[in-house]
Amino acid sequence: MTETVVAAAGSGWLRIIIGLIVVLLFSQLNALFLVWLERKVAGHIQLRPGPMEVGPHGILQTIADGIKLVGKELITPRSADRILFVIAPVLVFMPVLVAFLVLPFDQHLIIRDMNVGLLLIFAFSTFSVLAILLGGWASNNKYALLGAIRSVAQNVAYEIPLLLSVMSVVLMTHSFRFSEIVAAQHRFWFIFLQPVAGLIFFIAATAETNRAPFDIPEAESELIAGFHTEYSGMRFGLFFLAEYTNMFIVSAVAASLFFGGWQGPFGFSLGLPGLVWFLIKVYILLFVLMWFRWTFPRVRFDQLMNFSWKVMIPLSLANLLVTAVVVKLI
Amino acid sequence: MQLLIFNAFCVGAVVSALLMVTTKRPVRAAMSLVATMSFLAGLYVLLDAHLIAVLQLIVYAGAIMVLFLFVIMLLNVEEKEGKLAGKTMLLQAFATVVVGLVMVTMVGLFKANGSLGAAGDASDAFGTTKAVGQMLFTEYLLPFEIASLLLLAAIVGAVILAKRRIDDSGTE
């Protein structure tokens, strides 16, 4: 089925434009769903039902919240750096769109199967950190600035183990191309062959998306709301949207690198199309991310940095070395 | 189409570079630098050097973030109201023109010499990770190792500088 859709979409510019529209729609719907899911998961873990009033089981609650957010006034603090303050929320959403360009939803459902696809996502993810720093600085507010600085320190520290763990997968497949990485997991998912790398990737990705227990950039009990304290209305909405879409992207990358992407376990597809397999895996990983948030307490800043520099980086380097030796010998 | 994109990237790179050297606020200067680097990455993509473009973004956007942090921490978020040095303005303009002319002459010489490849379509493997890696570790191994030694020296230097400051503040 997907082949016919792709064939109908043609190639070149038309394909890019259609892809962009689909991606924009999907990222909105996905964020709406994830916000609802997060509140539901939080509710049930704390033995309460979560949102129940708007729509069946509160499914329309986020839409109501979204409409409220659009209607709010956009406030720019008087002492803020106006240009940078306005640019930051736009800049935070840009890398999110680029990542969808290379994500492999199905064997033929990739907008652009680039030679350096995997690296492209990491290249653009640095921009969202830049946007957070920019937003925190331009607000001219001490809580926002503290949150932004923490965010950068954390992201610089956790990007290293993230990239190193990805490299051990790349060493096994000899490619940065998503389609080849997923195709290489036809029999065995890489989580079985690279369990250490998979674990490091998932922990580092949790930190990269500023999710609890690594959410010190927006620790509400000490920093109000961290870097987006001064943002209101849809500017805040864009930060929020980008955070949830980023969660989707890291889960999608984890699913394609370690859980076989569009393929069923051990080569059995069980009659389900690739897209369904892919989305099932991504949403299970997203659920685990939410589960983390309500299970682990927030770590202290020094614990966070020590854990990255003294545990994760040496471990991922050792894992990379072992992988290189084994790949060379086989 | 390609020419149009090329021109857009070129104008963007030059304009943001100009903004970087003329703006009075250090953070805006850092942001303009990011923009320049991103436009250069776009130019690399047009040259089919995808790996270099991506690395340009990873290395420079990441490094500039750290630079950004240092700006905030060392300048204490104060607005440093600097102005362009008027006295040396003429000298600066002169130096810029001379460097530009030297660059153009050198490219011209290389082209006349024939050591610069002629324009045309690159082979399929050009610019892929494999091709770049193979070049780096065979033909250009010595420059690569020298560059890595330089970087190592810079890291050691940075650690020593940072450590000394902590010791100083401890003894005072």
Side-chain angles (χ1 to χ4, degrees), chain A residues 23-284:
Chain A
V23 164
L24 277 173
L25 276 178
F26 176 77
S27 60
Q28 312 293 320
L29 283 176
N30 172 60
L32 284 179
F33 174 69
L34 283 184
V35 173
W36 172 79
L37 187 68
E38 170 115 44
R39 295 175 72 175
K40 273 303 202 196
V41 169
H44 283 284
I45 285 178
Q46 297 166 348
L47 291 179
R48 57 187 174 82
M52 282 300 266
E53 298 299 325
V54 192
H57 283 263
I59 186 103
L60 300 176
Q61 179 68 47
T62 358
I63 295 178
D65 287 348
I67 292 170
K68 187 193 78 176
L69 213 54
V70 171
K72 277 192 168 179
E73 185 189 355
L74 291 175
I75 299 167
T76 312
R78 192 178 296 158
S79 57
D81 188 327
R82 278 174 186 279
I83 300 177
L84 298 184
F85 189 79
V86 176
I87 288 178
V90 182
L91 190 63
V92 82
F93 204 68
M94 183 266 292
V96 167
L97 290 182
V98 175
F100 276 100
L101 204 61
V102 290
L103 281 181
F105 284 89
D106 198 351
Q107 201 162 3
H108 302 282
L109 210 61
I110 311 174
I111 299 179
R112 190 97 203 254
D113 191 15
M114 280 178 77
N115 180 22
V116 286
L118 187 55
L119 279 179
L120 190 81
I121 290 185
F122 294 110
F124 277 90
S125 72
T126 52
F127 277 98
S128 55
V129 190
L130 210 57
I132 287 177
L133 183 58
L134 208 59
W137 186 83
S139 305
N140 216 340
N141 170 314
K142 60 186 167 202
Y143 296 116
L145 184 62
L146 273 175
I149 287 179
R150 283 182 177 190
S151 166
V152 174
Q154 174 178 329
N155 274 279
V156 168
Y158 278 88
E159 200 155 35
I160 302 167
L162 192 75
L163 277 173
L164 286 175
S165 64
V166 166
M167 282 308 147
S168 44
V169 170
V170 172
L171 274 184
M172 293 178 74
T173 57
H174 306 287
S175 177
F176 285 119
R177 204 185 280 271
F178 266 114
S179 59
E180 284 173 26
I181 291 173
V182 176
Q185 305 176 57
H186 179 61
R187 277 267 152 246
F188 295 107
W189 294 354
F190 282 148
I191 190 72
F192 301 120
L193 302 176
Q194 288 281 0
V196 182
L199 197 64
I200 290 172
F201 180 89
F202 208 60
I203 295 174
T206 315
E208 285 281 306
T209 45
N210 293 335
R211 293 280 304 176
F214 305 107
D215 63 340
I216 51 160
E218 41 191 294
E220 52 268 38
S221 45
E222 35 187 309
L223 286 182
I224 308 181
F227 60 88
H228 54 57
T229 303
E230 294 286 357
Y231 281 93
S232 64
M234 213 42 218
R235 286 190 193 142
F236 163 75
L238 274 178
F239 276 116
F240 208 55
L241 206 63
E243 184 185 326
Y244 279 93
T245 317
N246 263 328
M247 281 169 66
F248 180 87
I249 290 168
V250 294
S251 303
V253 173
S256 353
L257 286 183
F258 297 104
F259 295 96
W262 65 72
Q263 306 188 74
F266 306 107
F268 300 111
S269 73
L270 304 175
L272 288 174
L275 183 63
V276 175
W277 270 117
F278 182 76
L279 288 180
I280 288 175
K281 287 169 190 168
V282 172
Y283 281 102
I284 288 177

Side-chain angles (χ1 to χ4, degrees), chain A residues 284-303:
Chain A
I284 288 177
L285 287 175
L286 279 167
F287 174 73
V288 174
L289 269 180
M290 289 171 183
W291 196 357
F292 275 178
R293 175 166 174 187
W294 305 106
T295 307
F296 300 114
R298 183 180 303 135
V299 294
R300 231 171 39 223
F301 192 69
D302 56 320
Q303 292 172 332

